Amino acid sequence: MAVLTGLPRRIVEQNLVNSQQAQEIINKAKQDKISFVAAAVASGYIKSRAIALLASEEFGLPLLDLSAFDFELMPKELVSRELIEKHRVLPLFQRGNRLFVAQSDPSAMLAIDEIKFNTGMTVEAVLAEEDKLGSAVDKFLAANDNSFGDLDGDLDDVDLEDPDARDKAQEAEKDSSGDDAPIVRFVNKMLLDAIKGGASDIHFEPYEKRYRVRYRTDGMLHEVASPPVNLAGKIAARLKVMSQMDISERRVPQDGRIKMKLSKTKAIDFRVNTLPTLWGEKIVLRILDPSSAKLGIDMLGYEADQKALYLDALAKPQGMILVTGPTGSGKTVSLYTGLNILNVEGTNISTAEDPVEINLEGINQVNVNARVGLDFAAALRSFLRQDPDVVMVGEIRDLDTASIAIKAAQTGHLVLSTLHTNSAAETLTRLANMGVPSFNIATSVSLIIAQRLARRLCASCKAPAEIPKELLLEAGFTEEQLQTAEIYKPVGCEQCKGGYKGRVGIYEVVRITDAISRIIMEGGNSIEISDAARKEGFNDLRTSALQKVAQGVTSLEEANRVTTD
């Protein structure tokens, strides 16, 4: 093992980590091309505040509490957006020819040198806690993001990228009365505000005496507008025109798609569905942001051992990886993240989806269409005649699809798919209940990921939670966990909604070992498989959720909401 120096040596001397853990952090920083401090905080071994204090002592630099800093003082134009994003630093204020810049790792001198070169100024570093700096950088970039255009400007100018949809919308506007112009602006504002606010879905809902618009943000619905109920028909017509639906058909559900061009380089897709209800058409839009498919595996919330299991399964030339969980649990993002890792020039990848949510360059994506006979099974049969290396099936719904997918996994192909089950063990028993022979399940399935999404505690306002030890032990914590756990509760501030901001994945990642294979072959039930997985060292969803609570990422209430004992 290499001799430790500088900050790595200091954190070992202070018994925050051992030498092996420090070396792991160094290797992680090099691998992911991030700073040592960022890697240390991401590892979960060290709290952001603790390493900031040590770095301040080690390098003799002042430590600034960004939560008390007035961001109106920041020079907006001195340092380019690219440099701020690349190095995760923040220009704080200017005094003459001296520029003070916040960074979390004082050993990352390249950032200071590049800012010096680009600004021609003397740059002085100020230390900030990694988590607070990350939040401040994200807030600064969002506030100065020009890719959305002027959201407070003329909302009539929002462009539909699809030429046919644009022509139809413009034709409808010409034919409509001038009274409809406010409807156009209102709908555009609702779509743009949802994108800017990080919503995943928009609900337009008519009732007898009121009409409401709700956004789903961080998994929870909240009302954002209540236009007059007599505008329900016009709002529905506008959305149906934009998504190329039949505006005269109000009796049956319809599906459509909107591609909204926000700038020359950024466009957002909306998947649109209408549903005839008692008082009009309810319309739900799912926001499909291509950037969510390129987050990278480190952003999804996998623990280090779970991430290693997923990457190991992706590196195999054959076998089946199944991702399971309820609707809205992040299965698609997990699959797309895996596909992005596999998407290299020498690999042929084909996917069958219902529908294709996000376009991935270099991957052959197929929309299944049962009305013309193109279901998952038919698409999969065709893929196997197209010389594939990797195949992704949106969902295994029946024995026909399952049989073909397993045959593909056994004949030299890597297969990724999803099922709607609650745990890894139930996924295996679901395949058996479909009629798939136990031998085929045991020899083809290599990894199962069961997952949920929990809301992250807001880093700006979360507060320590005083919970009796007896209740924590009853909730599932171990004595060992409680020795180092830092449990927080939501508070709420102007930067978040109810004390939460963003979401993090909770995972149960189970590799099919020899012991689990034997239970499958013997026709064992899900309880026996779960027990075997725990003995093999694979954490279930509840244990993974409590780990996130102990790390201060989410609250115990949120862990209870998304998992059960």
Side-chain angles (χ1 to χ4, degrees), residues 209-231:
K209 296 181 179 178
R210 67 186 296 251
Y211 189 96
R212 70 177 176 182
V213 182
R214 293 191 290 173
Y215 293 163
R216 187 178 293 279
T217 307
D218 296 337
M220 307 298 284
L221 281 168
H222 61 278
E223 185 171 332
V224 293
S226 183
V229 69
N230 63 333
L231 298 180

mmCIF file of all heavy atoms in Angstrom, residues 209-231:
data_model
loop_
_atom_site.group_PDB
_atom_site.id
_atom_site.type_symbol
_atom_site.label_atom_id
_atom_site.label_comp_id
_atom_site.label_asym_id
_atom_site.label_seq_id
_atom_site.Cartn_x
_atom_site.Cartn_y
_atom_site.Cartn_z
ATOM 1 N N LYS A 209 -66.832 21.287 -9.645
ATOM 2 C CA LYS A 209 -66.845 22.716 -9.324
ATOM 3 C C LYS A 209 -65.463 23.353 -9.309
ATOM 4 O O LYS A 209 -65.331 24.527 -8.964
ATOM 5 C CB LYS A 209 -67.508 22.929 -7.962
ATOM 6 C CG LYS A 209 -68.988 22.527 -7.959
ATOM 7 C CD LYS A 209 -69.623 22.769 -6.601
ATOM 8 C CE LYS A 209 -71.097 22.375 -6.630
ATOM 9 N NZ LYS A 209 -71.732 22.562 -5.306
ATOM 10 N N ARG A 210 -64.425 22.586 -9.636
ATOM 11 C CA ARG A 210 -63.073 23.156 -9.659
ATOM 12 C C ARG A 210 -62.195 22.393 -10.623
ATOM 13 O O ARG A 210 -62.534 21.295 -11.061
ATOM 14 C CB ARG A 210 -62.456 23.175 -8.260
ATOM 15 C CG ARG A 210 -62.170 21.809 -7.667
ATOM 16 C CD ARG A 210 -61.697 21.931 -6.214
ATOM 17 N NE ARG A 210 -60.436 22.635 -6.112
ATOM 18 C CZ ARG A 210 -59.277 22.061 -5.788
ATOM 19 N NH1 ARG A 210 -59.223 20.753 -5.551
ATOM 20 N NH2 ARG A 210 -58.182 22.762 -5.697
ATOM 21 N N TYR A 211 -61.100 23.028 -10.970
ATOM 22 C CA TYR A 211 -60.107 22.416 -11.849
ATOM 23 C C TYR A 211 -58.751 22.632 -11.179
ATOM 24 O O TYR A 211 -58.470 23.724 -10.673
ATOM 25 C CB TYR A 211 -60.127 23.107 -13.221
ATOM 26 C CG TYR A 211 -59.294 22.426 -14.291
ATOM 27 C CD1 TYR A 211 -59.878 21.548 -15.190
ATOM 28 C CD2 TYR A 211 -57.926 22.672 -14.405
ATOM 29 C CE1 TYR A 211 -59.124 20.927 -16.181
ATOM 30 C CE2 TYR A 211 -57.168 22.051 -15.387
ATOM 31 C CZ TYR A 211 -57.777 21.184 -16.266
ATOM 32 O OH TYR A 211 -57.016 20.556 -17.241
ATOM 33 N N ARG A 212 -57.928 21.606 -11.134
ATOM 34 C CA ARG A 212 -56.631 21.783 -10.487
ATOM 35 C C ARG A 212 -55.506 21.204 -11.344
ATOM 36 O O ARG A 212 -55.717 20.275 -12.135
ATOM 37 C CB ARG A 212 -56.613 21.144 -9.102
ATOM 38 C CG ARG A 212 -56.645 19.630 -9.087
ATOM 39 C CD ARG A 212 -56.542 19.101 -7.652
ATOM 40 N NE ARG A 212 -56.663 17.655 -7.633
ATOM 41 C CZ ARG A 212 -56.655 16.926 -6.530
ATOM 42 N NH1 ARG A 212 -56.569 17.515 -5.347
ATOM 43 N NH2 ARG A 212 -56.758 15.602 -6.578
ATOM 44 N N VAL A 213 -54.329 21.780 -11.149
ATOM 45 C CA VAL A 213 -53.111 21.291 -11.794
ATOM 46 C C VAL A 213 -52.147 20.904 -10.676
ATOM 47 O O VAL A 213 -51.915 21.691 -9.747
ATOM 48 C CB VAL A 213 -52.460 22.363 -12.690
ATOM 49 C CG1 VAL A 213 -51.219 21.795 -13.383
ATOM 50 C CG2 VAL A 213 -53.465 22.867 -13.725
ATOM 51 N N ARG A 214 -51.626 19.680 -10.754
ATOM 52 C CA ARG A 214 -50.684 19.218 -9.738
ATOM 53 C C ARG A 214 -49.394 18.741 -10.389
ATOM 54 O O ARG A 214 -49.414 18.187 -11.497
ATOM 55 C CB ARG A 214 -51.293 18.070 -8.913
ATOM 56 C CG ARG A 214 -52.453 18.480 -8.055
ATOM 57 C CD ARG A 214 -52.842 17.395 -7.063
ATOM 58 N NE ARG A 214 -53.448 16.228 -7.707
ATOM 59 C CZ ARG A 214 -53.754 15.089 -7.064
ATOM 60 N NH1 ARG A 214 -53.504 14.979 -5.766
ATOM 61 N NH2 ARG A 214 -54.304 14.085 -7.713
ATOM 62 N N TYR A 215 -48.280 18.971 -9.702
ATOM 63 C CA TYR A 215 -46.974 18.451 -10.105
ATOM 64 C C TYR A 215 -46.591 17.319 -9.153
ATOM 65 O O TYR A 215 -46.870 17.396 -7.953
ATOM 66 C CB TYR A 215 -45.873 19.523 -9.998
ATOM 67 C CG TYR A 215 -45.977 20.687 -10.952
ATOM 68 C CD1 TYR A 215 -45.263 21.857 -10.711
ATOM 69 C CD2 TYR A 215 -46.770 20.622 -12.095
ATOM 70 C CE1 TYR A 215 -45.325 22.934 -11.575
ATOM 71 C CE2 TYR A 215 -46.855 21.705 -12.959
ATOM 72 C CZ TYR A 215 -46.132 22.858 -12.694
ATOM 73 O OH TYR A 215 -46.205 23.922 -13.558
ATOM 74 N N ARG A 216 -45.946 16.300 -9.702
ATOM 75 C CA ARG A 216 -45.325 15.289 -8.842
ATOM 76 C C ARG A 216 -43.840 15.619 -8.752
ATOM 77 O O ARG A 216 -43.103 15.509 -9.733
ATOM 78 C CB ARG A 216 -45.527 13.873 -9.389
ATOM 79 C CG ARG A 216 -45.017 12.804 -8.394
ATOM 80 C CD ARG A 216 -45.252 11.383 -8.907
ATOM 81 N NE ARG A 216 -46.646 11.032 -8.996
ATOM 82 C CZ ARG A 216 -47.397 10.630 -7.981
ATOM 83 N NH1 ARG A 216 -46.870 10.553 -6.766
ATOM 84 N NH2 ARG A 216 -48.660 10.315 -8.160
ATOM 85 N N THR A 217 -43.414 16.059 -7.578
ATOM 86 C CA THR A 217 -42.019 16.422 -7.335
ATOM 87 C C THR A 217 -41.475 15.547 -6.217
ATOM 88 O O THR A 217 -42.106 15.440 -5.162
ATOM 89 C CB THR A 217 -41.903 17.906 -6.937
ATOM 90 O OG1 THR A 217 -42.566 18.709 -7.928
ATOM 91 C CG2 THR A 217 -40.453 18.326 -6.861
ATOM 92 N N ASP A 218 -40.336 14.916 -6.459
ATOM 93 C CA ASP A 218 -39.730 13.991 -5.489
ATOM 94 C C ASP A 218 -40.726 12.915 -5.055
ATOM 95 O O ASP A 218 -40.771 12.513 -3.888
ATOM 96 C CB ASP A 218 -39.213 14.745 -4.258
ATOM 97 C CG ASP A 218 -38.093 15.710 -4.607
ATOM 98 O OD1 ASP A 218 -37.434 15.488 -5.638
ATOM 99 O OD2 ASP A 218 -37.888 16.681 -3.860
ATOM 100 N N GLY A 219 -41.565 12.489 -6.002
ATOM 101 C CA GLY A 219 -42.484 11.392 -5.732
ATOM 102 C C GLY A 219 -43.797 11.771 -5.096
ATOM 103 O O GLY A 219 -44.672 10.921 -4.925
ATOM 104 N N MET A 220 -43.975 13.051 -4.725
ATOM 105 C CA MET A 220 -45.193 13.476 -4.035
ATOM 106 C C MET A 220 -45.938 14.507 -4.880
ATOM 107 O O MET A 220 -45.322 15.413 -5.458
ATOM 108 C CB MET A 220 -44.857 14.082 -2.668
ATOM 109 C CG MET A 220 -43.983 13.184 -1.782
ATOM 110 S SD MET A 220 -44.759 11.617 -1.348
ATOM 111 C CE MET A 220 -45.924 12.177 -0.107
ATOM 112 N N LEU A 221 -47.271 14.393 -4.919
ATOM 113 C CA LEU A 221 -48.095 15.334 -5.674
ATOM 114 C C LEU A 221 -48.418 16.563 -4.835
ATOM 115 O O LEU A 221 -48.710 16.452 -3.639
ATOM 116 C CB LEU A 221 -49.405 14.666 -6.100
ATOM 117 C CG LEU A 221 -49.347 13.739 -7.320
ATOM 118 C CD1 LEU A 221 -50.633 12.930 -7.429
ATOM 119 C CD2 LEU A 221 -49.111 14.529 -8.601
ATOM 120 N N HIS A 222 -48.381 17.744 -5.463
ATOM 121 C CA HIS A 222 -48.817 18.967 -4.785
ATOM 122 C C HIS A 222 -49.461 19.904 -5.799
ATOM 123 O O HIS A 222 -49.043 19.980 -6.946
ATOM 124 C CB HIS A 222 -47.653 19.659 -4.068
ATOM 125 C CG HIS A 222 -46.546 20.091 -4.981
ATOM 126 N ND1 HIS A 222 -45.566 19.238 -5.413
ATOM 127 C CD2 HIS A 222 -46.267 21.291 -5.559
ATOM 128 C CE1 HIS A 222 -44.726 19.880 -6.213
ATOM 129 N NE2 HIS A 222 -45.129 21.130 -6.318
ATOM 130 N N GLU A 223 -50.488 20.608 -5.351
ATOM 131 C CA GLU A 223 -51.252 21.485 -6.241
ATOM 132 C C GLU A 223 -50.481 22.772 -6.518
ATOM 133 O O GLU A 223 -49.915 23.379 -5.606
ATOM 134 C CB GLU A 223 -52.607 21.812 -5.611
ATOM 135 C CG GLU A 223 -53.527 22.616 -6.520
ATOM 136 C CD GLU A 223 -54.934 22.738 -5.959
ATOM 137 O OE1 GLU A 223 -55.370 21.837 -5.221
ATOM 138 O OE2 GLU A 223 -55.590 23.766 -6.263
ATOM 139 N N VAL A 224 -50.471 23.193 -7.791
ATOM 140 C CA VAL A 224 -49.740 24.406 -8.160
ATOM 141 C C VAL A 224 -50.642 25.464 -8.800
ATOM 142 O O VAL A 224 -50.274 26.632 -8.857
ATOM 143 C CB VAL A 224 -48.583 24.080 -9.132
ATOM 144 C CG1 VAL A 224 -47.514 23.247 -8.442
ATOM 145 C CG2 VAL A 224 -49.080 23.394 -10.402
ATOM 146 N N ALA A 225 -51.814 25.073 -9.283
ATOM 147 C CA ALA A 225 -52.705 26.052 -9.922
ATOM 148 C C ALA A 225 -54.136 25.535 -9.886
ATOM 149 O O ALA A 225 -54.380 24.330 -9.852
ATOM 150 C CB ALA A 225 -52.271 26.312 -11.362
ATOM 151 N N SER A 226 -55.081 26.498 -9.908
ATOM 152 C CA SER A 226 -56.494 26.135 -9.934
ATOM 153 C C SER A 226 -57.230 27.103 -10.850
ATOM 154 O O SER A 226 -57.881 28.052 -10.386
ATOM 155 C CB SER A 226 -57.072 26.168 -8.519
ATOM 156 O OG SER A 226 -58.418 25.746 -8.531
ATOM 157 N N PRO A 227 -57.118 26.891 -12.185
ATOM 158 C CA PRO A 227 -57.799 27.788 -13.131
ATOM 159 C C PRO A 227 -59.313 27.594 -13.075
ATOM 160 O O PRO A 227 -59.791 26.606 -12.516
ATOM 161 C CB PRO A 227 -57.238 27.339 -14.485
ATOM 162 C CG PRO A 227 -56.830 25.924 -14.289
ATOM 163 C CD PRO A 227 -56.392 25.809 -12.864
ATOM 164 N N PRO A 228 -60.089 28.540 -13.620
ATOM 165 C CA PRO A 228 -61.556 28.409 -13.630
ATOM 166 C C PRO A 228 -61.986 27.099 -14.285
ATOM 167 O O PRO A 228 -61.423 26.679 -15.301
ATOM 168 C CB PRO A 228 -62.011 29.619 -14.451
ATOM 169 C CG PRO A 228 -60.895 30.606 -14.323
ATOM 170 C CD PRO A 228 -59.641 29.806 -14.238
ATOM 171 N N VAL A 229 -62.984 26.439 -13.706
ATOM 172 C CA VAL A 229 -63.408 25.128 -14.186
ATOM 173 C C VAL A 229 -63.958 25.193 -15.607
ATOM 174 O O VAL A 229 -63.905 24.218 -16.364
ATOM 175 C CB VAL A 229 -64.431 24.519 -13.205
ATOM 176 C CG1 VAL A 229 -65.747 25.293 -13.253
ATOM 177 C CG2 VAL A 229 -64.654 23.045 -13.508
ATOM 178 N N ASN A 230 -64.471 26.369 -16.032
ATOM 179 C CA ASN A 230 -65.039 26.466 -17.377
ATOM 180 C C ASN A 230 -63.968 26.465 -18.473
ATOM 181 O O ASN A 230 -64.288 26.438 -19.663
ATOM 182 C CB ASN A 230 -65.923 27.713 -17.502
ATOM 183 C CG ASN A 230 -65.142 29.012 -17.308
ATOM 184 O OD1 ASN A 230 -64.122 29.027 -16.615
ATOM 185 N ND2 ASN A 230 -65.622 30.084 -17.910
ATOM 186 N N LEU A 231 -62.696 26.492 -18.078
ATOM 187 C CA LEU A 231 -61.603 26.434 -19.065
ATOM 188 C C LEU A 231 -61.105 25.014 -19.292
ATOM 189 O O LEU A 231 -60.185 24.796 -20.087
ATOM 190 C CB LEU A 231 -60.427 27.309 -18.600
ATOM 191 C CG LEU A 231 -60.704 28.806 -18.444
ATOM 192 C CD1 LEU A 231 -59.433 29.512 -17.987
ATOM 193 C CD2 LEU A 231 -61.188 29.401 -19.772
#
